[in-house]
Amino acid sequence: MSRKRVLVVGGTGYLGQHLLQGLSELQGTPYDVAVTHHSAPPPQPLLDALPPSFVFFHVDMRTGSGFDDVSLKFGQPDVVVNCAALSVPRVCENDPDSAMSINVPSTLVNWLSSFTENRILLIHLSTDQVYEGVKSFYKEDDETVPVNVYGKSKVVAEKYIAEKCSNFAILRSSIIFGPQTLSPVPKSLPIQWIDGVLSKGDKVDFFHDEYRCPVYVKDVVTVILTLTNRWVSDGKQMRMVLNVGGPDRVSRVQMAEAVADIRGYNNTLIKPVSASSIDRGVKSPSDISMDITKLVQTLNIRPVTYRDGVKLTLAAEAKS
């Protein structure tokens, strides 16, 4: 039997690198893996940490340039994981055209539909920001009413994928947190940032009235690998939308308090403020906590608690 092929789109980003690490640690390396990146060339520390069999391709999601090279040198993938996104809400708000052209994967989907044997599963990363944020614990079949351009671009993407792809799993992820990547990403990581500001001993503002269900990065990787294995082993049609969050609904204040408690910082450094008191240049939903019952029941995965995820993150940072 020929080995199955997995293509990770946007593999040099935060989740992408953790996924590549997860794929490289699988027993018996069951998959051939290709990776697309937009920044050229891919970072050397990442290449050094991964098996030489992982192949990298430069692809532009806006134009689709580079996908033909993947066809030629890697062939038709069995599973494609799309981690590529413009995910900073303020950046999306200021440049809606870029947000739509990158976050709606039309060039990727068009390329996939060019294969005659169309047995490909697309696992696409969406966001909790597709929800309006006016109640707690959204379910997958709740209406999507995004309040900003980032959320809107992700809703358009979900609809496009559902319309054009025969097999897909759309993962609506919350804030993803965890250890730094094999090759450090430039973006600010939530737990590391909180730890950094509190360690200085200065008072810091945190929102007390915005709620999310932050999810530990290795749990997101487990979800993706479980879906991949399921598709490869039974090949049954898959058209799935899943909320991928942690089990805890927490505000930014509660996120900071957990870090302070674990690290022994003074809790009075955390100053609760209302989200409406600060202009971030983009509207933000106030409560987009998610019900993850479907995730737990469908894949038998129980994401770690926020507090345990923070402990794991800080322990990994101390080691590195």
Side-chain angles (χ1 to χ4, degrees):
M1 249 177 72
S2 65
R3 281 157 64 85
K4 298 296 183 183
R5 300 184 185 123
V6 176
L7 172 66
V8 180
V9 178
T12 55
Y14 183 71
L15 175 60
Q17 287 197 45
H18 277 287
L19 175 58
L20 294 178
Q21 193 177 347
L23 283 161
S24 74
E25 288 165 357
L26 290 176
Q27 290 301 310
T29 54
Y31 303 122
D32 288 329
V33 178
V35 187
T36 82
H37 58 96
H38 190 245
S39 56
Q44 196 58 45
L46 179 62
L47 296 177
D48 293 343
L50 294 172
S53 58
F54 282 36
V55 285
F56 283 75
F57 296 92
H58 182 261
V59 169
D60 187 331
M61 286 290 280
R62 296 172 206 234
T63 62
S65 147
F67 279 126
D68 288 346
D69 203 28
V70 182
S71 303
L72 205 63
K73 296 175 183 164
F74 183 67
Q76 175 177 329
D78 296 282
V79 177
V80 176
V81 186
N82 181 27
C83 303
L86 195 58
S87 59
V88 180
R90 189 179 61 253
V91 175
C92 293
E93 212 63 27
N94 294 336
D95 190 354
D97 291 347
S98 289
M100 287 293 176
S101 64
I102 295 167
N103 291 348
V104 182
S106 50
T107 57
L108 169 61
V109 170
N110 289 342
W111 172 66
L112 293 179
S113 62
S114 71
F115 292 103
T116 45
E117 171 60 35
N118 198 1
R119 295 287 301 152
I120 304 169
L121 173 67
L122 174 59
I123 301 174
H124 174 79
L125 268 293
S126 190
T127 173
D128 53 3
Q129 298 219 24
V130 298
Y131 300 118
E132 188 176 8
V134 292
K135 63 173 201 153
S136 303
F137 297 114
Y138 280 87
K139 289 185 163 73
E140 288 85 352
D141 52 7
D142 281 328
E143 199 183 355
T144 51
V145 188
V147 300
N148 55 37
V149 170
Y150 173 55
K152 284 171 188 164
S153 69
K154 288 294 199 173
V155 168
V156 173
E158 289 189 6
K159 287 179 176 161
Y160 186 84
I161 289 164
E163 212 172 86
K164 305 273 184 186
C165 300
S166 8
N167 294 286
F168 61 82
I170 288 165
L171 310 181
R172 292 177 177 161
S173 105
S174 184
I175 296 168
I176 298 175
F177 72 95
Q180 183 54 276
T181 40
L182 295 166
S183 171
V185 289
K187 77 171 191 170
S188 168
L189 302 177
I191 305 309
Q192 290 83 338
W193 181 82
I194 294 169
D195 186 35
V197 295
L198 294 179
S199 69
K200 293 192 178 99
D202 298 329
K203 274 204 160 187
V204 192
D205 293 348
F206 289 96
F207 302 137
H208 64 77
D209 52 358
E210 263 191 20
Y211 293 91
R212 311 282 291 272
C213 289
V215 61
Y216 187 58
V217 66
K218 292 185 189 299
D219 286 331
V220 184
V221 169
T222 301
V223 169
I224 294 168
L225 295 179
T226 303
L227 287 164
T228 299
N229 294 339
R230 182 175 287 192
W231 171 252
V232 164
S233 62
D234 68 18
K236 288 184 187 141
Q237 186 178 41
M238 195 184 290
R239 298 174 67 82
M240 191 186 288
V241 178
L242 285 177
N243 285 338
V244 179
D248 301 304
R249 170 185 178 266
V250 288
S251 68
R252 304 285 173 154
V253 165
Q254 290 168 319
M255 285 177 72
E257 283 172 346
V259 175
D261 187 36
I262 290 161
R263 297 283 271 152
Y265 300 135
N266 189 338
N267 250 353
T268 60
L269 298 174
I270 298 161
K271 186 182 163 201
V273 297
S274 170
S276 60
S277 67
I278 293 173
D279 180 14
R280 284 172 280 173
V282 59
K283 201 173 173 196
S284 194
S286 60
D287 186 347
I288 41 175
S289 54
M290 298 187 294
D291 182 322
I292 58 164
T293 307
K294 186 176 170 188
L295 172 74
V296 174
Q297 290 177 349
T298 310
L299 300 183
N300 197 23
I301 290 170
R302 289 185 179 276
V304 298
T305 65
Y306 172 69
R307 191 181 171 86
D308 284 348
V310 171
K311 283 182 183 168
L312 290 165
T313 301
L314 294 172
E317 293 297 335
K319 254 191 227 164
S320 64

